[in-house]
Amino acid sequence: MKGLITILLFAFALATYSQPAEPILRIETGMHTGFSTGVSIDNSSKTILSSSGKDKTARLWDSQNGALLNIFRIPIYFGFDGDITSCALSPDGKISALSVAYFAGTAFRFCIYIFDSQTGGVKSHFNIPTRVLKMEFSPNGRFLATSHYSGENSVNGIKVYRTDTWQIFKEVEGKSAFFYDFAYSLQNKFAIAENEKRIRLYDENYNLIAEQTTSSILNYLSFSKKGDWLAVIYGYPDVAVELRSTNDISIIKKLPFNTYNGWFSADGKNLYSQAVNNNKTVKCNYFSILNLEDFSSKDIELNFNGCVFTNLKVLANSSILIQTNREIQLRSSGGEIIWSNSMMNLDLINDDQSHLKVNSGGNIVGFTPVGSSAFTFNITERKLENKQCEYPSFTDKNVLNVSCWDSRICGQGPEINNKRTDFLEENDASVSVDISNDGNTVVFGGRDFLYKADNQSNLIWKVPLPESAYGGINISSNNKTIVAALFDGTIRWYRMSDGKELLACFFHSDQKRWVLFTPSGYYDASPGAEELLGWHLNNGPDNAPSFYPVSRFKEKFYRPDIIDAIFETYSEDDAITLANQRSSKKIITANTDIRQKLPPTITINSPANGSNISSNTVSISYVINSPDDAPAKNLRVLIDGRPVATERGLKPTASASQKITVTVPSQDCTITLLAENDNGTSPETNLYLKWVAPVAIKEEFIYKPKLYVLAIGVSDYNNPELKLGFAAKDAGDFAGAINKQKGNLYSDVIVKKLTNKEATKDAMIDGLEWIQKQTGQKDVAMIFYAGHGINDNNGVFYMLPVAADLERIRATCLNFEELKQTVSSIAGKVVVFIDACHSGNVMGSTKRGGNDINAVVNELSSTENGAITFTSSTGKEFSLEDLAWGNGAFTKAVIEGLNGKAVINGKNKITVKSLDAYISERVKELTKGKQHPTSVSPPNVPDFPIAVTQ
């Protein structure tokens, strides 16, 4: 009864606290971007669940290869509101449980969300009294155990919930501090390690079997898989390991190992642990394999960045899952890496905060990620360069005495001129600082907030941070902006006067992709980076939130011109006004309540993601949800990123379960469903399937694909001012290089070449229609274009045929839509090469505002269009050609790569990724760093060979 009353009281508290309805911008890389808070596996070790705090997501992974199967989102707000503190996966893998912390105005509240692992939908949620440190399902699936902590001298302990009613079944309370650990055996016995130096053992119905006091503080518990041993691991002051009986917890033997934790191998012969030095300190970047038969030990290097070892699990096949703050690795029982998923954000947590630099205006920043050399990012030029920034770092002057600013070291609030500050939020800590040039103000970067104070320790303002400012803060010398480097890989600009966020930039760990965005969602993105940002929409406490990539609202929010105006106005509102005044195209008002114009969403009910298949036909059960005023009108099915035929007359029906049968190849594949309505295309819904049927003869020996090539190059334009040196030759040389693959990788290579006078607008359109019709599902299409490209006054990109008239662009030039429609309709794999921004022409910013090739690349390589796209340069660069090369730099590199220089070491294959790597380095070498080619592959198109060497 007591438990029921508690739940009812907290249910009332939940009802009085509503999540915000406004959309929230979130980074989405396919991996966590915040500190890891838990990892769990199902009983069969097929799937892995991981959670992250300020990332505010949990993720389900395939244990065999680390493929992402699902993302679970909970209702969130800004700052720490909605942090996930732990996670648990049910024994059958069908339920994912998450514990969540909210800050309801003046006090924290806590709850547990129960998700359907397949659909991502919320099955239940209920409130709990205190923060959960650890949660785990019993092996029989009947119970969910949670350990709670609400602070020193508070009632803490273990609560066990029934999974059929989610009511409390058992409570074990403790005083003065939290319980250190608990563990289940596979036989459903339950053990608790208490802070009061006591061990308790329970049977499967939580009847006490035995309890014993210990001489040292307990740190960790682990049952052997057979259930015959309980490893008891002690912490301070005695680091020790005991094996105890699972009948009465009596000591069987003491082990001569120093460790703070431990997990049994599947056969019980080894204990895996975090490595410890002889002086009983943590040995960074290592774990240990402790042999329980001869008491030997072996340390295995993890190759992680940093030292934080957060979790380890042993799978049924004895492989080892290791989690740190930034990575998840699966290793064999001997320690060899099977797969690894790392954070895809740059690690900006640099103890030397002088790495963060900024120019006077705030539009140029420098930073040095952990394990990398320095970078400089020029926002105006959209140029990310691997070089040291010449501008200053944070102020290091004697104009003001600021001490104890790092609460992690000092253990108290900061002091300004020897006066203690008292404005830090409860549970927050200062981790970075900067002083204004005049010494009048100090800015502190916290784990949760950014604070500005005067030189008398008085708070001027505070604003919540989306992540911790561990990477440092820096005030620009014009005193208008504060630059903060956050844990999630973003650098953010805040207005000095009032703390208003002006701009953010996320940098991908590949050191190429970035996305700039304002608080209202206006953005610009480098090629391939558009999918890194999206809108999170809360749908009330009873439902899972929705998530839409910003690309689904590109027409309104893709506004590089607003980004440009930020550092002229230092106000987002004023930047919007200024950009709209300058624009000659019709402006679509971007009401940030995107709920009014939502595309559909799709949920796949079956088969389960990560399922094994042995048939070439798969029946998929799915549900489409679409706004009432914009019903779904079309469904597209992609396999590994390319379209497949669907049943004739298929009519999607919103909110009703439907089925579709898809023919799949005899290999692992990803099926993608996309629905459309009048508002746009749905976020992709993916179904990853693993092929298990034996294949006597590999498919590549049965069928060699055909390659269809459309090569277009224009040098001798009718307008002599547009003349180029090598564009036509580039197209011819490319066609010649790829034609050598006939009879090697491809059964045939069919080329349609259009150069100079042949490259009329009509001929180019006919060529696109030809390649669309000819390319079959198992074939490959390549489209190569060298010549001029231009954006008209409305921002639409055009390729220029031989008779292009710059005063009649729409009538005489080829609209990018023609290329996009062709690419999206081709059945086979598509590779596009664009060399359309040559220097020495009259079409730079003086005529039409410059080319926006980044937008073109992001369109072509989006999920719905699915083209692998190579471009000669980034959006604000020109592409170079030189007589000494005999080609444009980009085409020369492409041809060299196809002729063998891009071959994978030890193999005769040239893949998309190996060609990209060669082109990138070769073009930078040829142009001495003046030109940076790009390559983008759609999310679900795997790497594949496009050429071979003989």
Side-chain angles (χ1 to χ4, degrees), residues 128-133 146-150 156-157 159 161 178:
I128 52 179
T130 56
R131 180 183 300 272
V132 171
L133 298 181
T146 60
S147 68
H148 294 259
Y149 175 62
S150 59
N156 306 287
K159 299 185 188 301
Y161 296 88
F178 56 87

Side-chain angles (χ1 to χ4, degrees), residues 541-754:
D542 299 327
N543 302 296
S546 305
F547 187 83
Y548 299 88
V550 292
S551 60
R552 298 304 188 268
F553 309 95
K554 180 181 298 185
E555 189 177 10
K556 288 184 178 180
F557 289 98
Y558 179 69
R559 293 294 302 274
D561 54 340
I562 291 176
I563 305 294
D564 290 336
I566 287 291
F567 293 101
E568 296 181 67
T569 63
Y570 298 96
S571 162
E572 185 186 14
D573 291 340
D574 292 345
I576 294 168
T577 300
L578 180 60
N580 289 346
Q581 291 172 348
R582 289 172 173 172
S583 179
S584 59
K585 67 178 181 180
K586 181 181 178 181
I587 299 299
I588 299 175
T589 303
N591 183 344
T592 52
D593 185 4
I594 59 175
R595 294 179 186 272
Q596 298 181 14
K597 288 287 185 180
L598 289 178
T601 59
I602 302 178
T603 300
I604 295 177
N605 293 322
S606 66
N609 217 343
S611 294
N612 294 332
I613 59 171
S614 56
S615 171
N616 292 111
T617 57
V618 176
S619 179
I620 302 172
S621 173
Y622 64 95
V623 174
I624 297 178
N625 288 295
S626 195
D628 293 338
D629 61 350
K633 59 184 182 181
N634 186 32
L635 177 72
R636 296 183 64 201
V637 180
L638 313 178
I639 295 181
D640 288 337
R642 298 311 306 156
V644 296
T646 57
E647 294 105 338
R648 180 175 295 179
L650 179 68
K651 294 182 179 180
T653 303
S655 302
S657 181
Q658 301 174 80
K659 286 191 175 182
I660 187 172
T661 300
V662 178
T663 301
V664 298
S666 302
Q667 62 188 42
D668 294 357
C669 65
T670 298
I671 300 174
T672 303
L673 301 187
L674 296 169
E676 296 177 3
N677 66 6
D678 289 338
N679 298 333
T681 303
S682 68
E684 62 186 73
T685 301
N686 295 317
L687 175 63
Y688 171 61
L689 300 173
K690 293 182 284 188
W691 182 259
V692 295
V695 180
I697 303 175
K698 291 186 177 181
E699 187 177 357
E700 59 259 36
F701 297 115
I702 299 174
Y703 178 84
K704 278 190 175 183
K706 291 182 179 180
L707 172 63
Y708 294 90
V709 179
L710 176 62
I712 303 170
V714 188
S715 297
D716 297 329
Y717 285 92
N718 291 353
N719 181 348
E721 293 182 350
L722 303 181
K723 184 177 178 63
L724 293 168
F726 295 103
K729 185 175 182 293
D730 285 348
D733 290 351
F734 173 82
I738 201 65
N739 199 53
K740 296 176 184 177
Q741 295 298 315
K742 182 182 295 187
N744 294 324
L745 182 61
Y746 307 102
S747 63
D748 198 3
V749 177
I750 302 96
V751 177
K752 181 181 285 289
K753 185 174 66 174
L754 302 173

Side-chain angles (χ1 to χ4, degrees), residues 504-524:
C505 188
F506 174 80
F507 298 95
H508 195 279
S509 59
D510 63 12
Q511 302 181 354
K512 295 180 180 179
R513 284 180 282 172
W514 50 260
V515 55
L516 282 159
F517 52 100
T518 71
S520 297
Y522 298 105
Y523 74 94
D524 190 10

Side-chain angles (χ1 to χ4, degrees), residues 358-362 434 437 474-483:
V358 62
N359 71 335
S360 174
D434 196 14
N437 286 340
N474 195 339
I475 302 170
S476 61
S477 59
N478 67 1
N479 218 38
K480 291 187 176 182
T481 61
I482 303 161
V483 179

